[in-house]
Every structure is written in structure tokens, then in C-alpha cells.
Amino acid sequence: MAQTTLLITLRPAPAALERLLRLVRHRGFEPLLVQWQPDGLRLCVKHEQPLTLLTRQLEKLADVVSLTEEAA
């Protein structure tokens, strides 16, 4: 299993975080760390499938302004 950390900027919308986490779980990724920071959200996930299965779907969310993978 791999672990990846994503840095995500969300629009300040009601339930934006809920929608994001629901999508993460429904795609079969396990959230290990959710950390709210002044510049956005830091999300660490554990996964067996390719990360692109998640990132493509996250980019489609209207609440997501930007999405980058944190360098290891």
C-alpha cells in the first residue's frame, strides 16, 4: 500500500470538506490525515490503486480550486 499527501485549496462553501471526504472514501482511498492549514487542506491517503483515480475526480469537484501532490 502506498501513502500520498495532497495539498488542496477549497472554496469556502458549506459542506465542501464533507463532499471531498465522501469522494475519497467512495473511490476506495483511506484518509489517514486531514489537516486544515491557512493555505488549504493537507490530506494524506493510503491506497492500492493509482492516485490518478482519485485526483481526476477531485479536480472535477466545484469546491476544489487547486490540487497538488506534496513532494516526499
Side-chain angles (χ1 to χ4, degrees), residues 32-60:
L32 299 175
L33 172 78
V34 179
Q35 186 177 39
W36 193 260
Q37 299 175 335
D39 57 341
L41 179 72
R42 187 172 184 210
L43 174 67
C44 182
V45 292
K46 185 172 16 171
H47 55 95
E48 291 181 8
Q49 57 273 57
L51 185 64
T52 56
L53 292 177
L54 177 62
T55 56
R56 278 194 236 130
Q57 293 302 311
L58 287 174
E59 288 170 345
K60 292 178 185 179

Side-chain angles (χ1 to χ4, degrees), residues 5-41:
T5 301
L6 300 171
L7 302 173
I8 304 166
T9 304
L10 293 174
R11 292 193 198 310
L17 182 58
E18 283 182 57
R19 284 188 286 273
L20 183 133
L21 291 174
R22 183 174 49 233
L23 189 146
V24 170
R25 286 191 330 269
H26 283 221
R27 293 291 170 207
F29 290 75
E30 182 182 341
L32 299 175
L33 172 78
V34 179
Q35 186 177 39
W36 193 260
Q37 299 175 335
D39 57 341
L41 179 72

